[in-house]
Coordinates of all heavy atoms in Angstrom, one line a residue:
L14 N -2.3 4.2 -10.9 CA -1.9 5.4 -11.6 C -2.0 5.0 -13.0 O -1.8 3.9 -13.5 CB -0.4 5.8 -11.3 CG -0.2 6.1 -9.7 CD1 1.3 6.6 -9.6 CD2 -1.1 7.3 -9.3
A15 N -2.2 6.1 -13.9 CA -2.4 6.0 -15.3 C -1.4 6.7 -16.2 O -0.6 7.5 -15.7 CB -3.9 6.5 -15.7
D16 N -1.2 6.1 -17.4 CA -0.3 6.7 -18.3 C 1.1 7.0 -17.8 O 1.5 8.2 -17.8 CB -1.0 8.0 -19.0 CG -2.3 7.6 -19.6 OD1 -2.3 6.6 -20.3 OD2 -3.3 8.4 -19.5
P17 N 2.0 6.0 -17.4 CA 1.8 4.6 -17.7 C 1.1 3.9 -16.5 O 1.2 4.6 -15.4 CB 3.1 4.1 -17.9 CG 4.0 5.1 -17.1 CD 3.3 6.3 -17.2
A18 N 0.5 2.8 -16.6 CA -0.1 2.2 -15.5 C 1.0 1.3 -14.9 O 1.1 0.1 -15.0 CB -1.1 1.2 -16.0
D19 N 1.9 1.9 -14.1 CA 3.0 1.3 -13.6 C 3.1 1.3 -12.0 O 4.0 0.8 -11.4 CB 4.4 1.9 -14.0 CG 4.5 3.3 -13.8 OD1 3.5 4.0 -13.1 OD2 5.5 4.1 -14.0
S20 N 2.0 1.9 -11.3 CA 2.1 1.9 -9.9 C 0.6 2.0 -9.4 O -0.4 2.3 -10.1 CB 2.7 3.3 -9.5 OG 4.1 3.3 -9.9
V21 N 0.4 1.6 -8.2 CA -0.8 1.6 -7.5 C -0.6 2.2 -6.1 O 0.5 2.1 -5.5 CB -1.4 0.1 -7.2 CG1 -2.6 0.1 -6.6 CG2 -1.4 -0.7 -8.6
V22 N -1.5 3.0 -5.7 CA -1.3 3.8 -4.4 C -2.7 3.5 -3.6 O -3.7 3.4 -4.0 CB -1.3 5.3 -4.7 CG1 -1.1 6.2 -3.4 CG2 -0.1 5.7 -5.6
F23 N -2.4 3.3 -2.3 CA -3.4 3.1 -1.3 C -3.3 4.1 -0.1 O -2.1 4.3 0.2 CB -3.3 1.7 -0.6 CG -3.4 0.5 -1.7 CD1 -2.1 0.2 -2.3 CD2 -4.5 -0.2 -1.8 CE1 -2.1 -1.0 -3.2 CE2 -4.4 -1.3 -2.7 CZ -3.3 -1.7 -3.3
V24 N -4.4 4.6 0.4 CA -4.4 5.4 1.5 C -5.1 4.6 2.7 O -6.2 4.3 2.6 CB -5.1 6.8 1.3 CG1 -5.1 7.6 2.6 CG2 -4.6 7.6 0.0
F25 N -4.3 4.3 3.7 CA -4.8 3.6 4.9 C -4.8 4.6 6.1 O -4.1 5.5 6.1 CB -3.8 2.4 5.3 CG -3.9 1.3 4.3 CD1 -3.2 1.2 3.2 CD2 -4.7 0.2 4.8 CE1 -3.3 -0.1 2.4 CE2 -4.8 -1.0 4.0 CZ -4.1 -1.0 2.8
R26 N -5.6 4.3 6.9 CA -5.8 5.0 8.2 C -5.8 4.0 9.4 O -6.8 3.3 9.6 CB -7.1 5.9 8.3 CG -7.0 6.8 9.4 CD -8.0 7.9 9.2 NE -8.0 8.9 10.3 CZ -8.8 9.0 11.2 NH1 -9.9 8.1 11.3 NH2 -8.8 9.8 12.2
V27 N -4.6 3.8 9.9 CA -4.5 2.7 11.0 C -3.6 3.2 12.0 O -2.9 4.2 11.9 CB -3.9 1.3 10.3 CG1 -5.0 0.8 9.5 CG2 -2.7 1.6 9.6
E28 N -3.4 2.5 13.1 CA -2.5 2.9 14.2 C -1.1 2.5 14.0 O 0.0 3.2 14.4 CB -3.0 2.2 15.6 CG -4.4 2.9 16.0 CD -4.8 2.4 17.3 OE1 -4.1 1.5 17.9 OE2 -5.9 2.7 17.7
S29 N -0.9 1.3 13.2 CA 0.4 0.8 12.9 C 0.4 0.2 11.7 O -0.6 -0.1 11.0 CB 0.9 -0.2 14.0 OG 0.3 -1.4 13.8
T30 N 1.5 0.0 11.1 CA 1.7 -0.6 9.7 C 1.4 -2.2 9.7 O 1.3 -2.7 8.6 CB 3.1 -0.4 9.1 OG1 4.0 -1.1 10.0 CG2 3.3 1.1 9.0
S31 N 1.2 -2.8 10.8 CA 1.0 -4.2 10.8 C -0.3 -4.7 10.0 O -0.3 -5.6 9.2 CB 0.9 -4.8 12.2 OG -0.2 -4.2 12.9
Q32 N -1.3 -3.9 10.0 CA -2.5 -4.1 9.2 C -2.3 -4.0 7.8 O -2.8 -4.7 6.9 CB -3.7 -3.3 9.6 CG -4.2 -3.7 11.0 CD -5.3 -2.7 11.5 OE1 -5.0 -1.6 11.8 NE2 -6.5 -3.1 11.5
I33 N -1.4 -3.0 7.5 CA -1.1 -2.7 5.9 C -0.1 -3.8 5.5 O -0.3 -4.4 4.4 CB -0.4 -1.4 5.9 CG1 -1.2 -0.3 6.3 CG2 -0.1 -1.1 4.4 CD1 -0.5 1.0 6.5
E34 N 0.8 -4.3 6.3 CA 1.6 -5.4 5.9 C 0.9 -6.8 5.7 O 1.0 -7.5 4.8 CB 2.7 -5.6 7.0 CG 3.8 -4.5 7.0 CD 4.6 -4.4 8.2 OE1 4.5 -5.2 9.1 OE2 5.5 -3.6 8.2
E35 N -0.1 -7.0 6.6 CA -1.0 -8.1 6.4 C -1.7 -8.0 5.1 O -1.9 -9.1 4.4 CB -2.0 -8.2 7.6 CG -2.9 -9.4 7.5 CD -3.8 -9.5 8.8 OE1 -3.6 -8.7 9.8 OE2 -4.9 -10.2 8.6
F36 N -2.3 -6.8 4.8 CA -3.0 -6.6 3.5 C -2.0 -7.0 2.4 O -2.4 -7.8 1.4 CB -3.4 -5.1 3.3 CG -4.1 -4.8 2.0 CD1 -5.3 -4.9 1.9 CD2 -3.3 -4.4 1.0 CE1 -6.1 -4.6 0.7 CE2 -3.8 -4.1 -0.2 CZ -5.2 -4.2 -0.4
V37 N -0.8 -6.4 2.4 CA 0.1 -6.7 1.3 C 0.3 -8.3 1.0 O 0.3 -8.8 0.0 CB 1.5 -6.1 1.6 CG1 2.6 -6.5 0.7 CG2 1.3 -4.5 1.5
H38 N 0.7 -9.0 2.2 CA 1.1 -10.3 2.2 C -0.2 -11.3 1.7 O 0.1 -12.4 1.2 CB 1.6 -10.8 3.6 CG 2.9 -10.2 3.9 ND1 4.1 -10.3 3.0 CD2 3.1 -9.4 4.9 CE1 5.0 -9.7 3.6 NE2 4.5 -9.0 4.6
N39 N -1.4 -10.7 1.9 CA -2.5 -11.4 1.4 C -3.1 -11.0 0.1 O -4.0 -11.7 -0.5 CB -3.7 -11.3 2.4 CG -3.5 -12.0 3.7 OD1 -3.1 -13.1 3.7 ND2 -3.8 -11.3 4.8
D40 N -2.4 -10.1 -0.5 CA -2.8 -9.4 -1.8 C -2.5 -10.4 -2.9 O -1.3 -10.6 -3.2 CB -2.3 -8.2 -2.1 CG -2.9 -7.4 -3.3 OD1 -3.5 -8.1 -4.1 OD2 -2.9 -6.2 -3.3
P41 N -3.5 -10.9 -3.8 CA -3.2 -11.8 -4.9 C -2.2 -11.1 -5.8 O -1.4 -11.9 -6.6 CB -4.4 -12.1 -5.5 CG -5.4 -11.7 -4.4 CD -4.9 -10.7 -3.6
Y42 N -2.2 -9.9 -6.1 CA -1.2 -9.2 -7.0 C 0.2 -9.5 -6.5 O 1.1 -9.7 -7.2 CB -1.5 -7.6 -7.1 CG -2.8 -7.3 -7.9 CD1 -3.2 -6.1 -7.9 CD2 -3.5 -8.1 -8.6 CE1 -4.2 -5.6 -8.6 CE2 -4.6 -7.8 -9.4 CZ -5.1 -6.5 -9.4 OH -6.0 -6.1 -10.0
V43 N 0.5 -9.3 -5.1 CA 1.6 -9.6 -4.6 C 2.1 -11.0 -4.7 O 3.2 -11.4 -5.1 CB 1.7 -9.0 -3.2 CG1 3.2 -9.3 -2.5 CG2 1.5 -7.5 -3.1
R44 N 1.2 -11.9 -4.1 CA 1.5 -13.2 -4.1 C 1.8 -13.9 -5.5 O 2.5 -14.9 -5.6 CB 0.3 -14.1 -3.5 CG 0.2 -13.8 -2.0 CD -0.8 -14.7 -1.5 NE -2.0 -14.8 -2.3 CZ -3.2 -15.0 -1.9 NH1 -3.5 -15.1 -0.6 NH2 -4.2 -15.0 -2.8
N45 N 1.2 -13.2 -6.6 CA 1.4 -13.9 -7.9 C 2.4 -13.1 -8.8 O 2.3 -13.2 -10.1 CB 0.1 -13.9 -8.5 CG -0.9 -15.0 -8.0 OD1 -0.6 -16.2 -8.2 ND2 -1.8 -14.6 -7.1
G46 N 3.1 -12.3 -8.2 CA 4.4 -11.6 -8.9 C 4.0 -10.4 -9.7 O 4.8 -9.9 -10.5
L47 N 2.8 -9.8 -9.6 CA 2.5 -8.6 -10.4 C 3.1 -7.4 -9.8 O 3.3 -6.5 -10.4 CB 1.0 -8.5 -10.4 CG 0.3 -9.3 -11.7 CD1 0.5 -10.7 -11.5 CD2 -1.2 -8.8 -11.8
V48 N 3.4 -7.5 -8.4 CA 4.0 -6.3 -7.8 C 5.5 -6.6 -7.6 O 5.9 -7.6 -7.0 CB 3.3 -6.1 -6.3 CG1 4.0 -5.1 -5.5 CG2 1.9 -5.9 -6.4
T49 N 6.2 -5.6 -8.2 CA 7.8 -5.9 -8.1 C 8.3 -5.3 -6.9 O 9.4 -5.8 -6.5 CB 8.4 -5.2 -9.5 OG1 8.0 -3.8 -9.4 CG2 7.9 -6.0 -10.7
S50 N 7.7 -4.4 -6.3 CA 8.2 -3.8 -5.0 C 7.0 -3.1 -4.4 O 6.1 -2.6 -5.1 CB 9.3 -3.0 -5.2 OG 9.1 -1.7 -5.9
W51 N 7.1 -2.9 -3.0 CA 6.2 -2.1 -2.3 C 6.9 -1.4 -1.2 O 7.9 -1.8 -0.7 CB 5.0 -2.8 -1.8 CG 5.4 -4.1 -0.9 CD1 5.8 -5.4 -1.5 CD2 5.4 -4.0 0.3 NE1 6.0 -6.1 -0.3 CE2 5.8 -5.5 0.8 CE3 5.2 -3.2 1.4 CZ2 5.9 -5.7 2.2 CZ3 5.3 -3.5 2.7 CH2 5.6 -4.8 3.0
K52 N 6.2 -0.2 -0.8 CA 6.7 0.5 0.4 C 5.5 1.2 1.1 O 4.6 1.5 0.5 CB 7.9 1.5 0.0 CG 7.4 2.6 -0.8 CD 8.6 3.5 -1.2 CE 8.1 4.7 -2.0 NZ 9.3 5.5 -2.4
I53 N 5.7 1.4 2.3 CA 4.7 2.1 3.2 C 5.4 3.3 3.7 O 6.6 3.3 4.2 CB 4.3 1.1 4.4 CG1 3.7 0.0 3.9 CG2 3.4 1.9 5.3 CD1 3.5 -1.2 5.0
R54 N 4.7 4.4 3.7 CA 5.1 5.7 4.1 C 4.1 6.4 5.0 O 3.0 6.4 4.6 CB 5.6 6.6 3.0 CG 6.7 6.2 2.0 CD 8.0 6.4 2.7 NE 8.3 7.7 3.2 CZ 8.9 8.7 2.4 NH1 9.1 8.6 1.2 NH2 9.1 9.8 3.1
Q55 N 4.4 6.9 6.0 CA 3.5 7.8 6.9 C 3.2 9.0 6.1 O 4.0 9.6 5.6 CB 4.1 8.0 8.2 CG 3.1 8.7 9.2 CD 3.5 9.0 10.5 OE1 4.5 8.4 10.9 NE2 2.8 9.7 11.4
W56 N 2.0 9.4 6.1 CA 1.5 10.6 5.5 C 1.0 11.7 6.5 O -0.1 11.3 7.1 CB 0.5 10.2 4.4 CG 0.0 11.4 3.5 CD1 0.7 12.4 3.2 CD2 -1.3 11.4 2.8 NE1 0.0 13.1 2.3 CE2 -1.2 12.6 2.1 CE3 -2.4 10.6 2.8 CZ2 -2.4 13.0 1.3 CZ3 -3.5 11.0 2.1 CH2 -3.4 12.2 1.4
N57 N 1.5 12.7 6.7 CA 1.1 13.7 7.5 C 0.1 14.7 6.7 O 0.7 15.5 6.1 CB 2.2 14.6 8.1 CG 3.1 13.7 9.0 OD1 2.6 12.8 9.8 ND2 4.5 13.8 8.9
V58 N -1.1 14.5 6.9 CA -2.1 15.3 6.3 C -2.2 16.7 7.0 O -2.5 16.8 8.3 CB -3.6 14.6 6.3 CG1 -4.5 15.5 5.8 CG2 -3.4 13.2 5.6
V59 N -2.1 17.7 6.2 CA -2.1 19.0 6.8 C -3.3 19.9 6.4 O -3.6 21.0 7.0 CB -0.8 19.8 6.6 CG1 0.4 19.1 7.3 CG2 -0.6 19.9 5.0
V60 N -3.9 19.5 5.4 CA -5.1 20.3 4.8 C -6.2 19.2 4.5 O -5.9 18.2 3.9 CB -4.8 21.0 3.5 CG1 -6.0 21.6 2.9 CG2 -3.7 22.1 3.8
G61 N -7.3 19.5 4.9 CA -8.5 18.5 4.6 C -9.0 17.8 5.9 O -8.4 17.7 6.9

């Protein structure tokens, strides 16, 4: 996100959150302290 650059957003399409959690734990931004917190939320797409 821009102005301010204080967040990053990812859209995943998977059956469960395990693949997302694996991504997070392997991400150099997370491992090196650039990410202060993270959360996963299910997104119910209704248009598109």
Side-chain angles (χ1 to χ4, degrees):
L14 299 181
D16 299 321
D19 60 354
S20 301
V21 181
V22 180
F23 303 82
V24 178
F25 282 88
R26 190 162 183 261
V27 294
E28 292 180 2
S29 76
T30 61
S31 63
Q32 289 173 290
I33 302 169
E34 291 165 356
E35 181 179 343
F36 177 92
V37 170
H38 295 299
N39 288 316
D40 192 337
Y42 287 172
V43 174
R44 289 189 319 210
N45 290 284
L47 275 67
V48 175
T49 59
S50 67
W51 57 274
K52 67 180 175 182
I53 299 170
R54 298 283 310 269
Q55 186 175 348
W56 185 28
N57 296 318
V58 177
V59 295
V60 175

